[in-house]
Amino acid sequence: MGTITTSDGTEIYYKDWGEGQPIVFSHGWPLSADDWDNQLLFFLSKGYRVVAHDRRGHGRSTQTGDGHDMDHYADDLKAVVDHLDLHDCIHVGHSTGGGEVVHYLARHGEDRAAKAALLCAVPPLMVKTDANPEGLPKEVFDDLQNQLAANRSVFYRALPEGPFYGYNRPGAEPSEAIIANWWRQGMMGGAKAHYDGIVAFSQTDFTADLGQITIPVLVVHSEDDQIVPYADAGPKSAALLKNGVLKTYQGLPHGLPTTHADVVNADLLEFIQS
């Protein structure tokens, strides 16, 4: 575990465990590297070097007041990769982290990358526009910002209690420990970073980025994702990628790396080793 300081003075916290081919994990909004605990331990046990950082304004990284956009997210990821001198990387991004991975590969090139995996990720574009009529109305994301500004702690209980982990579905058995861990990670970060981050993950158009990527990319998405709707995300991203493969799950939630880690880890391992 360590920190690096970026060119604009932001301190980025990261975990770096093990040896072997590096797998670099980019977490979702508004969480931290801790959200990858299961994956880090699993792939460490399989002989991989595992790296995960806290996005700026999230977790243990600096609660800077600005820079909460995909350009800075991608540049910070590059700073971590360069600092650790990582090569032949497998990049894995969940939700907003998937957007971060896509933008990093397009913005900074694939020289240090071997493969990537996007799990329930936000590309190509979440918000509804004339060019993206299947997207979610901007008012949906405005409401998220309003709830965050009104009472972030309440908001950060409601999301994991409900749609994030699918605990609002009939027959679901909510885990208080999982809900509390989501809340803990969210409250570790800064309100300003999380507020601005909603714009970053919802309004950034990754269409051109996806078209630039040539390495193999596994696109994982569930048809029951209530946070990043399936039809406007996974299949479209896979189609835009030059070397993309779509893996569709049935009935799993957005937070499937936590609730169904055994399924996700097995599929990731198969893809990495293929």
Side-chain angles (χ1 to χ4, degrees), residues 29 143-159 182-183 187 191 195:
W29 174 97
D143 182 58
L144 296 181
Q145 288 185 309
N146 291 337
Q147 291 184 67
L148 188 156
N151 193 316
R152 190 164 62 121
S153 181
V154 170
F155 180 44
Y156 285 3
R157 282 289 303 195
L159 266 178
W182 199 102
W183 179 90
M187 295 305 292
Y195 187 91

Side-chain angles (χ1 to χ4, degrees), residues 9-237:
T10 300
E11 192 171 81
I12 301 294
Y13 171 94
Y14 66 86
K15 307 177 186 186
D16 176 19
W17 302 339
E19 299 177 354
Q21 185 177 15
I23 307 178
V24 183
F25 295 88
S26 293
H27 65 77
W29 174 97
L31 305 173
S32 73
D34 292 355
D35 205 45
W36 293 111
D37 281 353
N38 189 288
Q39 284 71 38
L40 295 176
L41 293 174
F42 175 82
F43 285 101
L44 183 65
S45 74
K46 299 298 181 181
Y48 292 92
R49 179 180 181 179
V50 293
V51 176
H53 68 290
D54 290 354
R55 188 170 299 117
R56 63 171 54 213
H58 296 62
R60 290 139 293 204
S61 292
T62 304
Q63 290 192 18
T64 178
D66 53 18
H68 307 297
D69 55 71
M70 283 294 164
D71 284 352
H72 281 87
Y73 296 167
D75 293 352
D76 293 347
L77 177 54
K78 181 181 187 297
V80 173
V81 171
D82 290 353
H83 174 74
L84 297 176
D85 194 26
L86 303 177
H87 295 271
D88 200 30
C89 297
I90 297 126
H91 284 276
V92 180
H94 175 239
S95 197
T96 299
E100 176 181 289
V101 167
V102 165
H103 199 53
Y104 161 78
L105 292 171
R107 183 173 170 87
H108 296 294
E110 303 171 332
D111 290 349
R112 292 174 177 259
K115 292 182 178 181
L118 310 176
L119 312 182
C120 301
V122 297
L125 175 62
M126 285 198 72
V127 73
K128 181 178 181 178
T129 64
D130 290 343
N132 185 45
E134 299 86 5
L136 295 172
K138 182 177 178 294
E139 290 75 17
V140 171
F141 305 106
D142 293 342
D143 182 58
L144 296 181
Q145 288 185 309
N146 291 337
Q147 291 184 67
L148 188 156
N151 193 316
R152 190 164 62 121
S153 181
V154 170
F155 180 44
Y156 285 3
R157 282 289 303 195
L159 266 178
E161 286 177 349
F164 196 93
Y165 293 117
Y167 290 151
N168 56 344
R169 293 304 196 206
E173 297 182 7
S175 166
E176 171 59 26
I178 288 176
I179 293 166
N181 191 43
W182 199 102
W183 179 90
R184 175 192 68 85
Q185 291 181 74
M187 295 305 292
M188 284 169 63
K192 179 62 162 56
H194 296 167
Y195 187 91
D196 292 351
I198 293 170
V199 174
F201 74 65
S202 66
Q203 296 186 29
T204 302
D205 190 343
F206 301 95
T207 302
D209 290 344
L210 289 161
Q212 294 182 52
I213 297 170
T214 63
I215 60 172
V217 181
L218 175 67
V219 180
V220 169
H221 221 110
S222 172
E223 290 189 351
D224 196 38
D225 190 325
Q226 299 177 68
I227 303 296
V228 181
Y230 173 84
D232 200 40
K236 288 187 176 182
S237 288

Side-chain angles (χ1 to χ4, degrees), residues 236-274:
K236 288 187 176 182
S237 288
L240 288 164
L241 289 160
K242 290 182 171 65
N243 198 2
V245 176
L246 177 64
K247 174 73 175 183
T248 299
Y249 296 129
Q250 305 293 326
L252 302 191
H254 181 69
L256 52 80
T258 296
T259 59
H260 295 80
D262 54 340
V263 174
V264 173
N265 292 350
D267 286 341
L268 281 175
L269 183 63
E270 181 182 5
F271 169 72
I272 290 168
Q273 293 181 343
S274 64

